Amino acid sequence: MFDGNWREAVDRGLTPIGVSLRRTGVTADMVTITGIVMASGAAVAIAAGYLRAGFLLLILAGIPDALDGAVAKASGTSSLRGAFFDSVSDRLTDALLFGGIAWHLADTRPGHVMMLPVAVMSLAMLVSYQRAKAESLGYEAKGGIMERAERFVVLAFGLLFSELLIWTLWVMAVLTAVTAVQRFVKVWRQASEGRPVRPRSRRRSRRARTTRAQGRVAGTARRARARDLPPTDAG
């Protein structure tokens, strides 16, 4: 939902900050690593039962997560490597945070309540996989009622009002499952039309162009040899 409605506006607003950070020598990788460190601190604080401290560190972890792309664009270093690192760090951050919550619930709540954040994490990974797989096939899979930005906001609410944490996790689980269904339906409809919205990948596109170019060169060489050959004896 955030990507579809406010992503471009937020990116434009963050561009001057990215330029300022780049002038100080900060790189996009440094910003991403800072976010991982902050998320790790939040996970440890939550696991230890300091939910308000976890809330503050979660907010701090969200700032680098929003700024790494702006710094990469400002420095002109946006690349597939950077996109890969950013995506992996997002999944790592999710695992750390929900793992910290599961640890906290295992120490403070009886029964199988600790499996609730594990379920949310699993659904979040499914939503992420749907987008990655769809885009690798050339389809569009963004959107949904509970994307990563929304999960951050709802989780922060649950940490700030710890008495509502369990109910918050239930809401996250339900809405993330709804998002998974929304993305599945969206990609299913595109695939049923049989028209990908863009080439599957740059690598495949380059490979296809190279194959076609090689075919043209080979065809030109065959025609040239045919012209240079003496006429055959038909009788």
Side-chain angles (χ1 to χ4, degrees):
M1 189 165 61
F2 173 81
D3 275 341
N5 296 321
W6 301 296
R7 170 65 68 181
E8 293 184 2
V10 171
D11 285 346
R12 286 195 298 270
L14 293 176
T15 297
I17 301 176
V19 173
S20 299
L21 288 173
R22 183 66 191 108
R23 288 173 179 170
T24 65
V26 175
T27 66
D29 288 347
M30 293 168 61
V31 176
T32 301
I33 293 172
T34 301
I36 294 174
V37 172
M38 291 296 179
S40 300
V44 171
I46 294 169
Y50 301 105
L51 300 187
R52 298 293 173 84
F55 164 78
L56 293 175
L57 289 169
L58 176 64
I59 299 301
L60 292 176
I63 296 174
D65 186 60
L67 286 175
D68 53 3
V71 174
K73 291 178 181 178
S75 59
T77 57
S78 297
S79 64
L80 295 178
R81 182 191 65 83
F84 171 76
F85 184 35
D86 182 60
S87 180
V88 171
S89 69
D90 288 347
R91 306 291 79 74
L92 175 60
T93 298
D94 290 346
L96 288 171
L97 291 171
F98 288 114
I101 296 173
W103 189 292
H104 167 68
L105 294 179
D107 284 343
T108 59
R109 299 297 180 100
H112 302 291
V113 180
M114 63 165 291
M115 294 305 298
L116 185 55
V118 176
V120 177
M121 182 179 67
S122 300
L123 290 167
M125 296 294 180
L126 173 61
V127 168
S128 174
Y129 174 77
Q130 285 176 316
R131 177 174 173 179
K133 184 61 178 179
E135 290 181 350
S136 73
L137 296 173
Y139 299 112
E140 176 63 53
K142 290 182 180 180
I145 195 171
M146 183 64 71
E147 296 182 285
R148 190 165 186 271
E150 288 82 8
R151 289 198 302 273
F152 254 77
V153 172
V154 175
L155 180 58
F157 176 85
L159 294 175
L160 184 60
F161 302 99
S162 56
E163 62 276 7
L164 299 176
L165 179 59
I166 300 300
W167 288 104
T168 300
L169 291 172
W170 275 112
V171 170
M172 292 179 68
V174 172
L175 295 183
T176 305
V178 171
T179 302
V181 173
Q182 288 176 314
R183 290 194 172 185
F184 182 87
V185 172
K186 183 176 183 179
V187 176
W188 186 271
R189 288 174 176 172
Q190 295 174 65
S192 297
E193 295 175 357
R195 294 194 301 272
V197 296
R198 59 181 176 274
R200 292 188 178 183
S201 69
R202 294 183 180 180
R203 179 178 295 179
R204 291 188 181 183
S205 298
R206 288 196 297 266
R207 185 181 301 169
R209 288 195 297 268
T210 301
T211 301
R212 289 195 296 267
Q214 291 173 344
R216 287 195 295 268
V217 170
T220 301
R222 285 195 298 270
R223 289 193 293 271
R225 288 196 300 270
R227 286 195 299 268
D228 293 339
L229 288 174
T232 58
D233 187 359

